[in-house]
Amino acid sequence: MEKTKVAVVGMGVVGSGVARLLLDQGDRTARHAGRTLWLERVVVRDVERARELELPAGVLSDDLSLIIDDPEIKLVAQLIGGLEPARTIMLQLLESGKDIVTANKALLAEHGGELFDRARELGRSIAFEAAVAGGIPIITSIGQCLSANQINLLQGILNGTSNFIVTEMEEHGADYAATVAQAQKLGYAEADPTMDVDGSDVAQKLAILAHLAFGARVHWQDIPRQGIDRLSPTDIQYASQLGYRIKLIAVAERTDQRLELHVSPTLVRMGRPLAEVRGAYNAVSVVGDAVGRTFFHGLGAGQMPTASAVVADMIDTAVGRTQITFRTLELWSRRESGVGLLQHRESSSRFYLRFSVNDHPGVLAQIAGILGENAISIASVMQHESSENGGDHQIPLIIMTHSASEGAAQDALAEIDQLDSVQAGSIRMRVLDR
Ligand code: NDP
Ligand code: HSE
């Protein structure tokens, strides 16, 4: 059988899974690729480091030139994280005639334009299924399978680490810091998990999806975002009493020619598919004008789910399919985007509000008054009886609103936080009923 020599740069969580699939499932990959994907070289930073997988003799190296200078290696899985040296290595690999497969969404979200331009100029391709939602084939689905549609709505849970953390907090009352450490140990989190939990990783993935689905050229840092790093167990409990679970939700919704994008911890009604996504699972709901609502669910982080997507991309590239779709894919093309962004203040939602108030007469009326002045209608109020009879101690007051604009909600909370009987730092989260 014909042999295609391939290489892997980076043998951490994902790279080890890719090497494992290539070595242990060679027959399977050969059957699908119509040729053997021969793992010729794996390049890492530190060859002395203990590895969970033993490679055939002579494969492991810390010398990138062994790949760059080998004209027989045509296909490289680039699996190091972060921006540099990942960007420089990717450019060097392209310049030396390699097609690339990558899982690095941070790199694509930041330098996708430059890398895709260079790949097109050089007649090379970049495949990146693993960069968004791990093992879920969402890039292929949106880029190819749903291409007959105008996509109008995309809602998703796009970070496995965050979803693992909120699930553990909700189901087991787990401690936040300990759960972050567990997500790192399980291989879900990035080397530095900050971007997993502060919403940045999700914004990067949403920018890629919005680009693919709507042609929107938006930089991930321009997407309003909030993570789960300040989520309190108190809100998880109140949400549960109200019949909701809190999830880190990414939204891209097109109305006319304007696109609403945001990432935020959101109350999702129990029983809705997104509310039932647990642990390191991700999910994406995509609504197209012809297909209607579709729902994709699967592991969004972790070694083998991610390796599954990387190796499928390697097979597609070895066969020549990637090169065809890469030429026609609108992603980071030079074509002008016809889609403008909706100002975040103009977007609307129902809201969950939690105030910490003094148990004084008239406090509820003051808060309701300010909400009313800002055209925010109250849907329900929850305040448990206090064991003390009034006074200066703080009690929680939960208000669910009807749909209101983001701007009105921001203004109302800023005003309420100024009241003497309300502790500053009131909580506001979006509610997803649709
Ligand atoms: P790891 O931190 O586990 O592994 C990174 C690898 O890159 C290590 O093997 C490291 O070498 C190697 N490396 C770093 N710098 C260099 C360099 N200069 N030259 C050669 N090798 C280098 O990361 P992951 O495997 O978790 O993630 C890889 C990519 O995949 C990231 O972009 C991540 O965002 C993405 N991703 C990760 C998922 C996951 O579940 N973990 C899921 C989806 C995407 P050494 O081992 O010697 O230190
Ligand atoms: N750290 C990422 C996550 C990996 O937890 O979702 C997948 O991109």
Side-chain angles (χ1 to χ4, degrees), residues 11-14 45-46 49 51 80 85 104-105 187 190 302 306:
M11 196 187 165
V13 174
V14 182
R45 182 172 37 196
D46 175 9
R49 205 177 129 186
R51 306 276 157 193
I80 68 177
N104 190 333
K105 64 272 157 151
E190 301 299 311
T306 313

Side-chain angles (χ1 to χ4, degrees), residues 105 130-131 133-134 158-162 188-190 196 201 205 282 300-302:
K105 64 272 157 151
L158 299 175
N159 185 271
T161 301
S162 288
Y188 305 148
E190 301 299 311
D196 283 308
D201 175 83
K205 292 166 176 167
N282 281 191

Side-chain angles (χ1 to χ4, degrees), residues 224-254:
R225 64 192 181 281
Q226 197 188 320
I228 54 131
D229 43 352
R230 282 172 286 154
L231 185 62
S232 156
T234 307
D235 293 306
I236 294 177
Q237 283 161 17
Y238 283 126
S240 171
Q241 288 175 25
L242 290 161
Y244 293 88
R245 296 189 209 288
I246 299 177
K247 297 286 175 191
L248 185 59
I249 300 288
V251 173
E253 182 163 16
R254 178 189 177 123

Side-chain angles (χ1 to χ4, degrees), residues 360-379:
H360 285 165
V363 177
L364 182 56
Q366 276 183 310
I367 292 175
I370 293 173
L371 292 175
E373 285 157 20
N374 284 279
I376 300 173
S377 173
I378 294 172

Side-chain angles (χ1 to χ4, degrees), residues 23 57 78 84 95 105 122 127 150 152 163 252 280 286 301 326 374:
L23 294 171
Q78 205 276 66
E84 285 294 353
E95 302 288 347
K105 64 272 157 151
L122 293 162
Q150 174 174 300
N152 293 316
N163 204 54
V286 184
F326 186 75
N374 284 279

